[in-house]
Amino acid sequence: NAGVTQTPKFRVLKTGQSMTLLCAQDMNHEYMYWYRQDPGMGLRLIHYSVGEGTTAKGEVPDGYNVSRLKKQNFLLGLESAAPSQTSVYFCASSLSRSEQFFGPGTRLTVL
Amino acid sequence: QQQVKQSPQSLIVQKGGISIINCAYENTAFDYFPWYQQFPGKGPALLIAIRPDVSEKKEGRFTISFNKSAKQFSLHIMDSQPGDSATYFCAARDANDYKLSFGAGTTVTVRA
């Protein structure tokens, strides 16, 4: 099993550009999450999903959109990237309220 | 506003020493307190977790101490090894929720 995978691993964007980060899990987990990690801020929840076709806002949702069309995939979109969105993005999944399993992360730089 | 406050931000310990990381919270509805370990360039991974009905949990060289009345919990790394050098995050989950609130993280460096 690959667990949780994320693509791409690295990306550089110019301000105003758009992109989509893909998260995939092969553990048949219902719950999926997108976090951003910034120095001194820990992990902050952007959006999450409790099942296929459902999404909800987390702690810092502004500037991001998500979709969960298939149970195994959770997409994070940036419609118009800003330098403040420079961060490392982590996807995680869990089986209801159990342990969250994290992907390897995507390092995004917005110039 | 972080719901879980973690300290220190970083610490350096000699090989064989004890590393101690502290976390505090206010939400009395929190009922699950995990610690995650993150190596550079990797995603966090669950290290050890505790529920408030016990005051201590030990797994190998890692121990969580929990003080419900003080709303504090801590991670102790005994006999610290260079391979323990990583960033550690405490977290907490509300009994009525499934989302985790994370602390800011502590970078531990173990010197050989």
Side-chain angles (χ1 to χ4, degrees), chain B:
Chain B
Q1 182 180 358
Q2 285 192 306
Q3 296 195 56
V4 180
K5 298 192 189 310
Q6 183 173 347
S7 63
Q9 186 174 358
S10 64
L11 67 91
I12 299 173
V13 63
Q14 292 297 121
K15 179 181 176 182
I18 302 173
S19 303
I20 302 174
I21 305 169
N22 300 301
C23 287
Y25 64 96
E26 289 297 327
N27 185 350
T28 55
F30 283 154
D31 73 338
Y32 173 67
F33 302 87
W35 284 88
Y36 280 78
Q37 180 187 52
Q38 183 184 30
F39 294 107
K42 304 292 185 183
L46 180 66
L47 179 64
I48 186 173
I50 197 169
R51 296 190 183 275
D53 52 345
V54 297
S55 61
E56 186 176 283
K57 183 174 181 179
K58 184 177 181 180
E59 288 187 4
R61 294 182 294 104
F62 299 89
T63 300
I64 300 179
S65 297
F66 186 82
N67 186 329
K68 189 174 182 178
S69 61
K71 289 183 283 187
Q72 295 176 347
F73 59 110
S74 60
L75 177 70
H76 295 232
I77 307 174
M78 313 300 287
D79 187 25
S80 297
Q81 300 296 312
D84 298 331
S85 296
T87 299
Y88 294 82
F89 294 97
C90 61
R93 187 186 64 203
D94 190 299
N96 301 310
D97 205 345
Y98 39 80
K99 303 188 295 294
L100 291 174
S101 295
F102 284 87
T106 298
T107 300
V108 174
T109 303
V110 182
R111 294 257 168 89

Side-chain angles (χ1 to χ4, degrees), chain A residues 58-89:
Chain A
E59 183 184 354
V60 288
D62 294 343
Y64 305 95
N65 57 76
V66 288
S67 64
R68 183 117 180 254
L69 299 180
K70 294 182 179 181
K71 186 178 182 178
Q72 63 269 34
N73 295 337
F74 195 27
L75 278 64
L76 178 71
L78 286 73
E79 291 185 347
S80 179
S84 62
Q85 294 178 304
T86 293
S87 186
V88 181
Y89 292 85

Side-chain angles (χ1 to χ4, degrees), chain A residues 37-55:
Chain A
Q37 181 178 10
D38 303 289
M41 305 288 285
L43 291 149
R44 292 182 293 169
L45 184 65
I46 304 171
H47 285 281
Y48 62 98
S49 168
V50 300
E52 182 178 317
T54 74
T55 63

